Amino acid sequence: MNTQKLKEILEWYICAGVEETAGDEPFAQVLPTKSISPLPARETASQKTQSERPATTVLSQAVNDACQNARQQCQNINTLEELKKLVEGFDGCALKLTASNTVFGEGSPKARVIFIGEAPGADEDRMGRPFVGKSGQLLDKMMSAVGLNRENCYITNVLPWRPPGNRTPTDGEVAVCLPFLLRQIEIIKPDFLFLMGASAAGAVLNVQDSISRLRGHWLEYQGSDGCKIECLASFHPAYLLRNPAQKAKAWTDFLRLKQKLEEKS
Ligand code: URA
């Protein structure tokens, strides 16, 4: 690792409130030992298969048709390359019309962790790659502080197209694009999902709750193929850039992930 990279990680530790080191390991607060906690006062994601989710908002017939179309097309897809081509050719989401590029997931097809964000921003839209702007730079630092990187993990978004002006995606846009995200998860079959921000957590876990309530608990995602994957929700890097005081909490989430990776290795 070069000096610049080490400096960036050190800066991240300091921002996250790490004040002491013990050997090579940054020393932070002790993590709770509980593995999977239920969602506070809400149903757990495992109670419903994500593909059978009842819509919490009424979606138009056109949106429902587009969702069904996306789901059906995904069924015949078995590799990330095929899925990328499918998404690039999909015309059921109007966001594609205003986006410059389709931003598909990137990283290892054998990743143990998938990091999931909301949607491409301006930089990602221009470059056609996920998390390459300021949020991505912070994500890189946080990952690298726990020994992860873009080569051994997979990074993707709920939406492959940038909403104009970075507005929050509508429920319909999320619903139409969700089958593509879920298929990426089914193909990779990671050990863990790291859900960054309320949009990612809400879409994958089928809950509507604030990220402050969702973050820091191990939850379970159950796919339509019956697979069960442990998920951790945390703050989105863009939120951390605007609210640096929350970096300490995000750091504990990364330590939780690191601990799980070690336990399950
Ligand atoms: N924010 C996201 O949610 N995803 C990106 O790819 C970039 C910024």
Side-chain angles (χ1 to χ4, degrees):
M1 204 180 286
N2 64 30
T3 318
Q4 178 59 25
K5 197 115 197 137
L6 285 171
K7 192 166 159 267
E8 285 174 6
I9 293 176
L10 202 56
E11 276 166 12
W12 158 247
Y13 284 148
I14 293 164
C15 289
V18 176
E19 288 170 345
E20 295 177 49
T21 59
D24 290 338
E25 295 294 316
F27 184 73
Q29 63 198 85
V30 178
L31 300 172
T33 48
K34 263 207 253 167
S35 57
I36 299 184
S37 354
L39 280 172
R42 297 280 304 253
E43 67 189 357
T44 61
S46 59
Q47 286 170 321
K48 283 189 193 72
T49 347
Q50 270 64 9
S51 65
E52 291 165 359
R53 52 175 62 206
T56 43
T57 348
V58 180
L59 301 174
S60 70
Q61 189 58 47
V63 167
N64 277 324
D65 290 348
C67 292
Q68 204 183 343
N69 182 14
R71 268 200 300 269
Q72 273 171 356
Q73 292 195 41
C74 280
Q75 276 170 8
N76 308 317
I77 298 290
N78 294 309
T79 68
L80 293 172
E81 292 74 27
E82 286 171 333
L83 187 57
K84 184 176 182 200
K85 280 207 186 92
L86 172 68
V87 176
E88 284 168 348
F90 184 76
D91 285 324
C93 178
L95 288 177
K96 190 181 181 186
L97 300 174
T98 48
S100 308
N101 276 300
T102 298
V103 179
F104 193 70
E106 271 188 13
S108 170
K110 294 185 180 154
R112 293 188 64 203
V113 188
I114 301 185
F115 288 85
I116 304 173
E118 178 182 270
D123 294 314
E124 291 75 19
D125 181 52
R126 197 169 39 248
M127 296 178 68
R129 296 186 54 209
F131 281 98
V132 289
K134 288 218 160 62
S135 297
Q137 286 160 17
L138 177 58
L139 177 60
D140 284 339
K141 282 184 212 170
M142 297 191 287
M143 288 170 72
S144 141
V146 291
L148 301 175
N149 57 48
R150 285 175 186 255
E151 282 72 51
N152 59 24
C153 293
Y154 187 84
I155 301 180
T156 192
N157 282 301
V158 177
L159 301 180
W161 297 290
R162 180 193 185 212
N166 291 347
R167 67 162 169 72
T168 305
T170 64
D171 288 345
E173 288 159 355
V174 170
V176 172
C177 296
L178 193 60
F180 303 131
L181 172 64
L182 300 186
R183 196 70 191 139
Q184 287 170 81
I185 297 171
E186 284 165 4
I187 291 172
I188 296 174
K189 297 188 177 44
D191 290 335
F192 305 105
L193 300 178
F194 195 86
L195 310 170
M196 300 180 288
S199 289
V204 173
L205 298 169
N206 190 22
V207 290
Q208 281 184 332
D209 217 334
S210 73
I211 193 63
S212 302
R213 271 165 59 87
L214 290 172
R215 65 150 285 280
H217 305 266
W218 281 104
L219 303 164
E220 193 172 76
Y221 162 82
Q222 186 174 342
S224 57
D225 62 353
C227 73
K228 288 182 182 169
I229 303 174
E230 291 181 70
C231 300
L232 190 61
S234 189
F235 294 120
H236 191 287
Y239 173 81
L240 295 175
L241 290 171
R242 293 192 305 271
N243 301 276
Q246 302 292 350
K247 284 182 178 173
K249 286 185 189 154
W251 174 236
T252 63
D253 295 337
F254 271 81
L255 288 176
R256 285 187 172 97
L257 175 64
K258 181 172 188 252
Q259 191 177 49
K260 277 277 186 178
L261 280 163
E262 286 166 1
E263 278 170 16
K264 210 167 173 175
S265 62

